């Protein structure tokens, strides 16, 4: 964890509130990504289309038509920072894959997680993250660009958000403490308990962010707390604990000593 986030984690204990510039808004869109007409730069658009189509081709879903390929998130808005990534969404009809849309969502979330873990594709030093989105899924972002059609679906407007840094600090700090406690339990060989708690906590964080986006948008306390966890790699730590605890649960340790003849 970087020194910046160590300071952040201690802030609430010392009664201080940190104003984190990277959670606010910029004066302009990122001009490495967007040209002076606020269009996605052509060479970037072609590369993103290629990445999305290669990903979809590998899913062997040739009969399922891609409805759109969109670029969203902070880099399609004014709240970008050095921590941002390129959120590339492939929009389809889930029911064209299977009538059980929830099953399809879980499947593609698993595929997406594996792909994002196995690849480190960067454009202008920003990591490309792929997500398969159902066309009926409500999308909260105020910046949505159709890479497929080369036009804005929803063009962002710059505004000065009111950020409750104190509440962000408290919420992020509490969640970080929960993850640190799980690490202690793992170190104490409580693998089954850790595995169950990591699953529960991952779901809690996912629902927290979803509710925050729906009710308060990108600058909600819940979404900003999520960003803090992601940027200081606490989400990675939580996922690693989930995987490691499962592996330990299923393992049989080699005997430390053998009987002598």
């Amino acid at each position: 964890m970087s020194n910046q986030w160590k300071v952040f984690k201690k802030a609430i204990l010392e009664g201080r509130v940190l104003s984190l510039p990277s959670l606010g808004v910029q004066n302009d869109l990122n001009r490495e990504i967007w040209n002076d007409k606020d269009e996605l730069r052509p060479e970037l658009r072609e590369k993103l289309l290629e990445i999305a189509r290669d990903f979809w081709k590998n899913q062997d879903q040739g009969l399922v038509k891609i409805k759109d390929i969109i670029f969203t998130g902070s880099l399609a808005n004014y709240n970008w920072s050095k921590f941002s990534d390129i959120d590339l969404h492939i929009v389809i009809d889930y029911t064209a894959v299977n009538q059980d849309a929830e099953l399809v969502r879980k499947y593609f979330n698993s595929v997406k997680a594996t792909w994002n873990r196995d690849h480190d594709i960067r454009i202008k030093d920003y990591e490309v993250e792929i997500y398969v989105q159902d066309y009926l899924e409500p999308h909260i972002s105020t910046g949505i660009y159709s890479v497929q059609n080369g036009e804005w679906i929803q063009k962002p407007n710059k505004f000065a958000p009111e950020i409750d840094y104190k509440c962000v600090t408290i919420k992020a700090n509490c969640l970080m403490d929960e993850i640190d406690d799980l690490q202690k339990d793992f170190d104490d060989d409580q693998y089954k308990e850790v595995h169950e708690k990591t699953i529960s906590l991952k779901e809690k964080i996912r629902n927290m962010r979803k509710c925050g986006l729906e009710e308060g948008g990108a600058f909600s306390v819940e979404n900003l707390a999520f960003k803090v966890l992601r940027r200081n790699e606490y989400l990675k730590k939580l996922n690693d604990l989930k995987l490691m605890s499962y592996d330990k649960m299923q393992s049989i340790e080699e005997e430390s000593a053998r009987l002598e003849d």
Side-chain angles (χ1 to χ4, degrees), residues 64-113:
V64 178
K65 183 180 178 180
I66 294 177
K67 290 182 173 291
D68 205 349
I69 298 169
I70 62 175
F71 179 1
T72 186
S74 58
L75 276 171
N77 215 313
Y78 289 91
N79 58 324
W80 61 271
S81 76
K82 64 180 181 179
F83 300 104
S84 296
D85 49 38
I86 293 175
D87 293 324
L88 188 63
H89 291 207
I90 298 172
V91 182
I92 65 165
D93 179 355
Y94 277 5
T95 60
V97 179
N98 188 285
Q99 287 300 309
D100 189 339
E102 180 61 16
L103 179 67
V104 176
R105 182 188 69 80
K106 290 180 178 179
Y107 168 74
F108 279 122
N109 278 350
S110 176
V111 170
K112 175 261 300 185

Short mmCIF file of all heavy atoms in Angstrom, two decimals, residues 64-113:
data_model
loop_
_atom_site.label_atom_id
_atom_site.label_comp_id
_atom_site.label_asym_id
_atom_site.label_seq_id
_atom_site.Cartn_x
_atom_site.Cartn_y
_atom_site.Cartn_z
N VAL A 64 -24.42 -14.50 -31.38
CA VAL A 64 -24.94 -13.41 -30.55
C VAL A 64 -24.40 -12.09 -31.10
O VAL A 64 -23.20 -11.87 -31.14
CB VAL A 64 -24.55 -13.58 -29.07
CG1 VAL A 64 -25.07 -12.42 -28.25
CG2 VAL A 64 -25.08 -14.91 -28.53
N LYS A 65 -25.30 -11.22 -31.50
CA LYS A 65 -24.90 -9.96 -32.12
C LYS A 65 -24.53 -8.92 -31.07
O LYS A 65 -25.22 -8.74 -30.08
CB LYS A 65 -26.05 -9.42 -32.98
CG LYS A 65 -25.70 -8.14 -33.73
CD LYS A 65 -26.87 -7.66 -34.56
CE LYS A 65 -26.53 -6.35 -35.27
NZ LYS A 65 -27.68 -5.85 -36.08
N ILE A 66 -23.41 -8.26 -31.31
CA ILE A 66 -23.02 -7.13 -30.46
C ILE A 66 -23.87 -5.93 -30.83
O ILE A 66 -23.90 -5.50 -31.99
CB ILE A 66 -21.52 -6.79 -30.64
CG1 ILE A 66 -20.65 -7.94 -30.13
CG2 ILE A 66 -21.17 -5.49 -29.91
CD1 ILE A 66 -19.16 -7.72 -30.35
N LYS A 67 -24.59 -5.38 -29.87
CA LYS A 67 -25.43 -4.22 -30.13
C LYS A 67 -24.62 -2.93 -30.14
O LYS A 67 -24.94 -1.99 -30.88
CB LYS A 67 -26.54 -4.14 -29.08
CG LYS A 67 -27.60 -5.24 -29.21
CD LYS A 67 -28.69 -5.06 -28.19
CE LYS A 67 -29.83 -6.04 -28.42
NZ LYS A 67 -30.59 -5.77 -29.66
N ASP A 68 -23.60 -2.86 -29.31
CA ASP A 68 -22.75 -1.67 -29.27
C ASP A 68 -21.48 -2.00 -28.50
O ASP A 68 -21.43 -2.98 -27.75
CB ASP A 68 -23.48 -0.50 -28.60
CG ASP A 68 -22.95 0.86 -29.06
OD1 ASP A 68 -21.90 0.90 -29.73
OD2 ASP A 68 -23.60 1.88 -28.74
N ILE A 69 -20.47 -1.20 -28.72
CA ILE A 69 -19.24 -1.25 -27.93
C ILE A 69 -19.05 0.16 -27.40
O ILE A 69 -18.92 1.11 -28.19
CB ILE A 69 -18.03 -1.68 -28.79
CG1 ILE A 69 -18.24 -3.09 -29.34
CG2 ILE A 69 -16.74 -1.60 -27.97
CD1 ILE A 69 -17.23 -3.49 -30.41
N ILE A 70 -19.08 0.30 -26.08
CA ILE A 70 -19.07 1.65 -25.51
C ILE A 70 -17.87 1.86 -24.58
O ILE A 70 -17.32 0.92 -24.01
CB ILE A 70 -20.39 1.95 -24.76
CG1 ILE A 70 -20.59 1.00 -23.57
CG2 ILE A 70 -21.58 1.89 -25.70
CD1 ILE A 70 -21.81 1.35 -22.72
N PHE A 71 -17.50 3.11 -24.48
CA PHE A 71 -16.42 3.57 -23.61
C PHE A 71 -17.09 4.45 -22.54
O PHE A 71 -17.78 5.41 -22.87
CB PHE A 71 -15.43 4.36 -24.46
CG PHE A 71 -14.24 4.95 -23.75
CD1 PHE A 71 -14.03 4.79 -22.39
CD2 PHE A 71 -13.31 5.68 -24.47
CE1 PHE A 71 -12.93 5.34 -21.76
CE2 PHE A 71 -12.20 6.25 -23.86
CZ PHE A 71 -12.02 6.08 -22.49
N THR A 72 -16.90 4.08 -21.29
CA THR A 72 -17.57 4.82 -20.22
C THR A 72 -16.61 4.95 -19.04
O THR A 72 -15.43 4.66 -19.14
CB THR A 72 -18.87 4.10 -19.82
OG1 THR A 72 -19.58 4.89 -18.88
CG2 THR A 72 -18.60 2.72 -19.25
N GLY A 73 -17.12 5.43 -17.92
CA GLY A 73 -16.27 5.60 -16.74
C GLY A 73 -15.59 6.96 -16.70
O GLY A 73 -15.91 7.87 -17.46
N SER A 74 -14.62 7.09 -15.81
CA SER A 74 -14.03 8.40 -15.53
C SER A 74 -13.26 8.99 -16.71
O SER A 74 -13.22 10.21 -16.88
CB SER A 74 -13.12 8.32 -14.30
OG SER A 74 -12.09 7.37 -14.48
N LEU A 75 -12.66 8.14 -17.55
CA LEU A 75 -11.92 8.66 -18.70
C LEU A 75 -12.85 9.13 -19.81
O LEU A 75 -12.40 9.79 -20.76
CB LEU A 75 -10.94 7.62 -19.24
CG LEU A 75 -9.59 7.56 -18.52
CD1 LEU A 75 -8.79 6.37 -18.97
CD2 LEU A 75 -8.80 8.85 -18.72
N ALA A 76 -14.13 8.82 -19.70
CA ALA A 76 -15.13 9.38 -20.60
C ALA A 76 -15.88 10.51 -19.90
O ALA A 76 -17.01 10.83 -20.24
CB ALA A 76 -16.11 8.29 -21.05
N ASN A 77 -15.20 11.10 -18.94
CA ASN A 77 -15.83 12.14 -18.13
C ASN A 77 -14.74 13.08 -17.63
O ASN A 77 -13.57 12.98 -18.02
CB ASN A 77 -16.57 11.49 -16.96
CG ASN A 77 -17.84 12.24 -16.60
OD1 ASN A 77 -17.83 13.46 -16.49
ND2 ASN A 77 -18.93 11.50 -16.43
N TYR A 78 -15.11 13.97 -16.74
CA TYR A 78 -14.17 14.97 -16.21
C TYR A 78 -13.52 14.53 -14.90
O TYR A 78 -12.67 15.24 -14.38
CB TYR A 78 -14.88 16.31 -16.01
CG TYR A 78 -15.23 17.01 -17.30
CD1 TYR A 78 -16.46 16.79 -17.91
CD2 TYR A 78 -14.33 17.86 -17.92
CE1 TYR A 78 -16.79 17.41 -19.10
CE2 TYR A 78 -14.64 18.50 -19.11
CZ TYR A 78 -15.87 18.27 -19.70
OH TYR A 78 -16.19 18.89 -20.89
N ASN A 79 -13.91 13.37 -14.37
CA ASN A 79 -13.35 12.93 -13.09
C ASN A 79 -12.25 11.89 -13.27
O ASN A 79 -12.05 11.02 -12.44
CB ASN A 79 -14.46 12.38 -12.17
CG ASN A 79 -15.21 11.22 -12.77
OD1 ASN A 79 -15.44 11.20 -13.98
ND2 ASN A 79 -15.61 10.26 -11.96
N TRP A 80 -11.52 11.99 -14.38
CA TRP A 80 -10.41 11.08 -14.62
C TRP A 80 -9.19 11.46 -13.77
O TRP A 80 -9.06 12.60 -13.32
CB TRP A 80 -10.04 11.09 -16.11
CG TRP A 80 -9.61 12.42 -16.64
CD1 TRP A 80 -10.40 13.40 -17.15
CD2 TRP A 80 -8.27 12.93 -16.71
NE1 TRP A 80 -9.66 14.49 -17.54
CE2 TRP A 80 -8.34 14.23 -17.28
CE3 TRP A 80 -7.02 12.42 -16.36
CZ2 TRP A 80 -7.22 15.02 -17.49
CZ3 TRP A 80 -5.89 13.20 -16.57
CH2 TRP A 80 -6.00 14.49 -17.14
N SER A 81 -8.32 10.50 -13.57
CA SER A 81 -7.08 10.74 -12.84
C SER A 81 -6.06 9.71 -13.30
O SER A 81 -6.34 8.86 -14.15
CB SER A 81 -7.31 10.62 -11.33
OG SER A 81 -7.43 9.25 -10.95
N LYS A 82 -4.88 9.76 -12.71
CA LYS A 82 -3.85 8.79 -13.07
C LYS A 82 -4.25 7.37 -12.65
O LYS A 82 -3.66 6.39 -13.10
CB LYS A 82 -2.52 9.17 -12.41
CG LYS A 82 -2.55 9.12 -10.89
CD LYS A 82 -1.20 9.51 -10.30
CE LYS A 82 -1.20 9.44 -8.77
NZ LYS A 82 0.12 9.80 -8.20
N PHE A 83 -5.24 7.25 -11.80
CA PHE A 83 -5.71 5.93 -11.35
C PHE A 83 -6.79 5.36 -12.26
O PHE A 83 -7.24 4.23 -12.05
CB PHE A 83 -6.26 6.02 -9.93
CG PHE A 83 -5.27 6.48 -8.90
CD1 PHE A 83 -5.32 7.78 -8.41
CD2 PHE A 83 -4.29 5.64 -8.44
CE1 PHE A 83 -4.41 8.21 -7.46
CE2 PHE A 83 -3.37 6.05 -7.50
CZ PHE A 83 -3.43 7.35 -6.99
N SER A 84 -7.24 6.11 -13.25
CA SER A 84 -8.36 5.68 -14.08
C SER A 84 -7.96 4.51 -14.98
O SER A 84 -6.78 4.27 -15.24
CB SER A 84 -8.86 6.83 -14.95
OG SER A 84 -9.39 7.88 -14.17
N ASP A 85 -8.99 3.80 -15.45
CA ASP A 85 -8.77 2.82 -16.51
C ASP A 85 -9.80 3.06 -17.61
O ASP A 85 -10.72 3.86 -17.45
CB ASP A 85 -8.83 1.38 -15.98
CG ASP A 85 -10.05 1.12 -15.11
OD1 ASP A 85 -11.12 1.66 -15.44
OD2 ASP A 85 -9.93 0.39 -14.11
N ILE A 86 -9.63 2.37 -18.72
CA ILE A 86 -10.55 2.50 -19.84
C ILE A 86 -11.60 1.42 -19.71
O ILE A 86 -11.31 0.23 -19.89
CB ILE A 86 -9.80 2.40 -21.19
CG1 ILE A 86 -8.88 3.62 -21.35
CG2 ILE A 86 -10.76 2.28 -22.35
CD1 ILE A 86 -8.00 3.58 -22.58
N ASP A 87 -12.82 1.82 -19.38
CA ASP A 87 -13.93 0.89 -19.23
C ASP A 87 -14.57 0.65 -20.59
O ASP A 87 -15.29 1.51 -21.11
CB ASP A 87 -14.96 1.45 -18.25
CG ASP A 87 -14.41 1.54 -16.83
OD1 ASP A 87 -13.64 0.65 -16.44
OD2 ASP A 87 -14.74 2.49 -16.11
N LEU A 88 -14.30 -0.52 -21.14
CA LEU A 88 -14.78 -0.89 -22.47
C LEU A 88 -15.90 -1.92 -22.32
O LEU A 88 -15.65 -3.04 -21.88
CB LEU A 88 -13.62 -1.45 -23.30
CG LEU A 88 -13.87 -1.72 -24.77
CD1 LEU A 88 -14.21 -0.42 -25.51
CD2 LEU A 88 -12.65 -2.38 -25.40
N HIS A 89 -17.12 -1.53 -22.65
CA HIS A 89 -18.29 -2.40 -22.46
C HIS A 89 -18.77 -2.94 -23.80
O HIS A 89 -18.98 -2.17 -24.75
CB HIS A 89 -19.43 -1.64 -21.79
CG HIS A 89 -19.16 -1.30 -20.37
ND1 HIS A 89 -20.18 -1.13 -19.44
CD2 HIS A 89 -18.01 -1.10 -19.68
CE1 HIS A 89 -19.66 -0.84 -18.26
NE2 HIS A 89 -18.34 -0.80 -18.39
N ILE A 90 -18.96 -4.25 -23.85
CA ILE A 90 -19.57 -4.91 -25.00
C ILE A 90 -21.04 -5.12 -24.67
O ILE A 90 -21.37 -5.83 -23.71
CB ILE A 90 -18.89 -6.24 -25.31
CG1 ILE A 90 -17.41 -6.00 -25.66
CG2 ILE A 90 -19.60 -6.97 -26.45
CD1 ILE A 90 -16.60 -7.27 -25.80
N VAL A 91 -21.92 -4.49 -25.42
CA VAL A 91 -23.35 -4.49 -25.11
C VAL A 91 -24.06 -5.55 -25.96
O VAL A 91 -23.97 -5.51 -27.20
CB VAL A 91 -23.98 -3.11 -25.36
CG1 VAL A 91 -25.45 -3.12 -24.98
CG2 VAL A 91 -23.22 -2.03 -24.57
N ILE A 92 -24.75 -6.48 -25.29
CA ILE A 92 -25.47 -7.55 -25.98
C ILE A 92 -26.83 -7.74 -25.32
O ILE A 92 -27.15 -7.10 -24.31
CB ILE A 92 -24.69 -8.88 -25.94
CG1 ILE A 92 -24.58 -9.39 -24.48
CG2 ILE A 92 -23.32 -8.75 -26.57
CD1 ILE A 92 -24.16 -10.84 -24.36
N ASP A 93 -27.60 -8.65 -25.88
CA ASP A 93 -28.84 -9.12 -25.25
C ASP A 93 -28.51 -10.42 -24.53
O ASP A 93 -28.23 -11.44 -25.16
CB ASP A 93 -29.90 -9.35 -26.33
CG ASP A 93 -31.22 -9.87 -25.75
OD1 ASP A 93 -31.29 -10.14 -24.54
OD2 ASP A 93 -32.18 -10.03 -26.53
N TYR A 94 -28.49 -10.39 -23.20
CA TYR A 94 -28.14 -11.58 -22.43
C TYR A 94 -29.01 -12.78 -22.82
O TYR A 94 -28.53 -13.92 -22.86
CB TYR A 94 -28.32 -11.31 -20.93
CG TYR A 94 -27.16 -10.61 -20.25
CD1 TYR A 94 -26.06 -10.14 -20.96
CD2 TYR A 94 -27.17 -10.42 -18.86
CE1 TYR A 94 -25.02 -9.50 -20.32
CE2 TYR A 94 -26.13 -9.78 -18.21
CZ TYR A 94 -25.06 -9.32 -18.94
OH TYR A 94 -24.02 -8.69 -18.30
N THR A 95 -30.29 -12.54 -23.08
CA THR A 95 -31.20 -13.65 -23.35
C THR A 95 -30.91 -14.31 -24.70
O THR A 95 -31.43 -15.39 -24.99
CB THR A 95 -32.67 -13.20 -23.31
OG1 THR A 95 -32.90 -12.20 -24.29
CG2 THR A 95 -33.02 -12.66 -21.92
N ALA A 96 -30.10 -13.68 -25.54
CA ALA A 96 -29.67 -14.31 -26.78
C ALA A 96 -28.64 -15.41 -26.51
O ALA A 96 -28.41 -16.28 -27.35
CB ALA A 96 -29.09 -13.27 -27.74
N VAL A 97 -28.03 -15.36 -25.32
CA VAL A 97 -27.09 -16.40 -24.90
C VAL A 97 -27.84 -17.49 -24.15
O VAL A 97 -27.66 -18.69 -24.41
CB VAL A 97 -25.98 -15.80 -23.99
CG1 VAL A 97 -25.01 -16.88 -23.53
CG2 VAL A 97 -25.24 -14.68 -24.72
N ASN A 98 -28.67 -17.08 -23.21
CA ASN A 98 -29.48 -18.01 -22.41
C ASN A 98 -30.64 -17.22 -21.81
O ASN A 98 -30.48 -16.06 -21.46
CB ASN A 98 -28.61 -18.65 -21.31
CG ASN A 98 -29.33 -19.77 -20.59
OD1 ASN A 98 -30.21 -19.53 -19.76
ND2 ASN A 98 -28.94 -20.99 -20.89
N GLN A 99 -31.79 -17.87 -21.67
CA GLN A 99 -32.96 -17.18 -21.14
C GLN A 99 -32.77 -16.77 -19.68
O GLN A 99 -33.45 -15.86 -19.20
CB GLN A 99 -34.21 -18.07 -21.27
CG GLN A 99 -34.72 -18.18 -22.70
CD GLN A 99 -35.09 -16.83 -23.28
OE1 GLN A 99 -35.84 -16.06 -22.68
NE2 GLN A 99 -34.55 -16.52 -24.46
N ASP A 100 -31.87 -17.43 -18.98
CA ASP A 100 -31.57 -17.07 -17.60
C ASP A 100 -30.54 -15.93 -17.60
O ASP A 100 -29.33 -16.17 -17.62
CB ASP A 100 -31.03 -18.28 -16.83
CG ASP A 100 -30.90 -18.02 -15.33
OD1 ASP A 100 -30.83 -16.84 -14.93
OD2 ASP A 100 -30.83 -19.00 -14.57
N ALA A 101 -31.02 -14.69 -17.62
CA ALA A 101 -30.13 -13.53 -17.74
C ALA A 101 -29.16 -13.42 -16.58
O ALA A 101 -28.01 -13.00 -16.75
CB ALA A 101 -30.95 -12.25 -17.86
N GLU A 102 -29.59 -13.80 -15.38
CA GLU A 102 -28.71 -13.72 -14.21
C GLU A 102 -27.56 -14.71 -14.34
O GLU A 102 -26.42 -14.41 -13.98
CB GLU A 102 -29.52 -13.99 -12.93
CG GLU A 102 -28.69 -13.94 -11.64
CD GLU A 102 -28.05 -12.59 -11.37
OE1 GLU A 102 -28.46 -11.59 -11.99
OE2 GLU A 102 -27.12 -12.55 -10.54
N LEU A 103 -27.84 -15.89 -14.87
CA LEU A 103 -26.79 -16.88 -15.11
C LEU A 103 -25.78 -16.34 -16.12
O LEU A 103 -24.56 -16.51 -15.94
CB LEU A 103 -27.41 -18.18 -15.63
CG LEU A 103 -26.44 -19.32 -15.94
CD1 LEU A 103 -25.77 -19.81 -14.67
CD2 LEU A 103 -27.18 -20.46 -16.65
N VAL A 104 -26.27 -15.68 -17.15
CA VAL A 104 -25.39 -15.10 -18.17
C VAL A 104 -24.52 -14.01 -17.55
O VAL A 104 -23.32 -13.91 -17.84
CB VAL A 104 -26.22 -14.55 -19.34
CG1 VAL A 104 -25.30 -13.87 -20.37
CG2 VAL A 104 -27.00 -15.67 -20.02
N ARG A 105 -25.14 -13.17 -16.71
CA ARG A 105 -24.38 -12.10 -16.05
C ARG A 105 -23.23 -12.68 -15.24
O ARG A 105 -22.09 -12.19 -15.32
CB ARG A 105 -25.29 -11.28 -15.14
CG ARG A 105 -24.58 -10.11 -14.46
CD ARG A 105 -25.44 -9.43 -13.42
NE ARG A 105 -25.66 -10.29 -12.26
CZ ARG A 105 -24.75 -10.44 -11.28
NH1 ARG A 105 -23.60 -9.80 -11.32
NH2 ARG A 105 -25.01 -11.24 -10.26
N LYS A 106 -23.51 -13.71 -14.45
CA LYS A 106 -22.47 -14.32 -13.62
C LYS A 106 -21.38 -14.95 -14.48
O LYS A 106 -20.19 -14.86 -14.16
CB LYS A 106 -23.09 -15.36 -12.69
CG LYS A 106 -23.96 -14.76 -11.59
CD LYS A 106 -24.55 -15.85 -10.69
CE LYS A 106 -25.39 -15.24 -9.57
NZ LYS A 106 -26.00 -16.28 -8.71
N TYR A 107 -21.80 -15.57 -15.57
CA TYR A 107 -20.83 -16.21 -16.46
C TYR A 107 -19.87 -15.17 -17.05
O TYR A 107 -18.64 -15.34 -16.99
CB TYR A 107 -21.55 -16.95 -17.60
CG TYR A 107 -20.62 -17.38 -18.70
CD1 TYR A 107 -19.74 -18.45 -18.53
CD2 TYR A 107 -20.60 -16.69 -19.92
CE1 TYR A 107 -18.87 -18.83 -19.54
CE2 TYR A 107 -19.73 -17.07 -20.93
CZ TYR A 107 -18.87 -18.14 -20.75
OH TYR A 107 -18.00 -18.51 -21.74
N PHE A 108 -20.43 -14.10 -17.59
CA PHE A 108 -19.56 -13.10 -18.22
C PHE A 108 -18.75 -12.32 -17.19
O PHE A 108 -17.66 -11.85 -17.51
CB PHE A 108 -20.38 -12.16 -19.11
CG PHE A 108 -20.69 -12.75 -20.45
CD1 PHE A 108 -22.00 -12.90 -20.88
CD2 PHE A 108 -19.67 -13.16 -21.29
CE1 PHE A 108 -22.29 -13.45 -22.12
CE2 PHE A 108 -19.94 -13.71 -22.53
CZ PHE A 108 -21.26 -13.86 -22.95
N ASN A 109 -19.25 -12.16 -15.99
CA ASN A 109 -18.44 -11.53 -14.93
C ASN A 109 -17.23 -12.39 -14.62
O ASN A 109 -16.12 -11.87 -14.39
CB ASN A 109 -19.27 -11.33 -13.67
CG ASN A 109 -20.12 -10.07 -13.74
OD1 ASN A 109 -19.96 -9.25 -14.63
ND2 ASN A 109 -21.04 -9.92 -12.79
N SER A 110 -17.41 -13.71 -14.64
CA SER A 110 -16.29 -14.61 -14.40
C SER A 110 -15.29 -14.56 -15.55
O SER A 110 -14.07 -14.49 -15.35
CB SER A 110 -16.81 -16.04 -14.22
OG SER A 110 -15.75 -16.95 -14.08
N VAL A 111 -15.82 -14.56 -16.78
CA VAL A 111 -14.96 -14.47 -17.97
C VAL A 111 -14.20 -13.15 -17.97
O VAL A 111 -12.99 -13.10 -18.24
CB VAL A 111 -15.81 -14.60 -19.25
CG1 VAL A 111 -14.98 -14.26 -20.49
CG2 VAL A 111 -16.38 -16.01 -19.37
N LYS A 112 -14.92 -12.07 -17.66
CA LYS A 112 -14.31 -10.74 -17.62
C LYS A 112 -13.19 -10.67 -16.60
O LYS A 112 -12.11 -10.13 -16.87
CB LYS A 112 -15.38 -9.70 -17.32
CG LYS A 112 -14.90 -8.28 -17.12
CD LYS A 112 -14.75 -7.86 -15.67
CE LYS A 112 -16.03 -7.94 -14.89
NZ LYS A 112 -15.89 -7.43 -13.51
N ALA A 113 -13.43 -11.23 -15.41
CA ALA A 113 -12.42 -11.20 -14.35
C ALA A 113 -11.16 -11.95 -14.77
O ALA A 113 -10.04 -11.50 -14.52
CB ALA A 113 -12.99 -11.80 -13.07
#
